[in-house]
Amino acid sequence: MGNKITMPSSGGGLMRYFDESKSKIQIKSDAEWEGVLRLRVPGWTNEFNIVLNGNDIPVKNVQGYFDVDLKDGKEYSIEVQFDVPLVFDKM
């Protein structure tokens, strides 16, 4: 099988953040694999939540990228949800 990374979407096809409200990444490998997944944190968000295999990961003062350590397993499920600020422009 080798290693496999998927980002499932409820509607099929490519995942679009604003349609899904959160992103889910699934990683599967034949052997126990260890590594770091670097998640880009957009400059427009002030808060976000990361869940690794059902457990919340504490997130504080992140600028640019957030590293998720992956170890001790063959499967990983990562969910990321960003708070999207609403901006109103005078027309």
Side-chain angles (χ1 to χ4, degrees):
M1 173 181 110
N3 296 332
K4 181 178 182 182
I5 299 175
T6 59
M7 292 184 70
S9 173
S10 61
L14 294 175
M15 178 179 299
R16 293 184 353 203
Y17 173 75
F18 291 105
D19 293 342
E20 302 288 331
S21 79
K22 65 179 152 183
S23 297
K24 183 174 184 178
I25 303 165
Q26 295 175 319
I27 300 174
K28 296 181 182 182
S29 108
D30 285 339
E32 289 190 15
W33 176 82
E34 293 185 3
V36 175
L37 177 65
R38 300 199 81 203
L39 300 172
R40 186 180 179 286
V41 179
W44 47 257
T45 189
N46 293 325
E47 294 186 23
F48 62 99
N49 183 45
I50 297 177
V51 177
L52 174 62
N53 295 334
N55 300 308
D56 286 332
I57 296 178
V59 177
K60 293 182 183 177
N61 302 326
V62 175
Q63 301 265 331
Y65 289 87
F66 182 80
D67 292 344
V68 179
D69 291 320
L70 304 174
K71 56 185 173 181
D72 302 326
K74 292 182 179 182
E75 290 189 26
Y76 305 94
S77 176
I78 303 105
E79 292 184 25
V80 182
Q81 182 168 5
F82 294 104
D83 289 338
V84 180
L86 292 176
V87 178
F88 296 96
D89 290 329
K90 186 175 180 179
M91 305 279 299

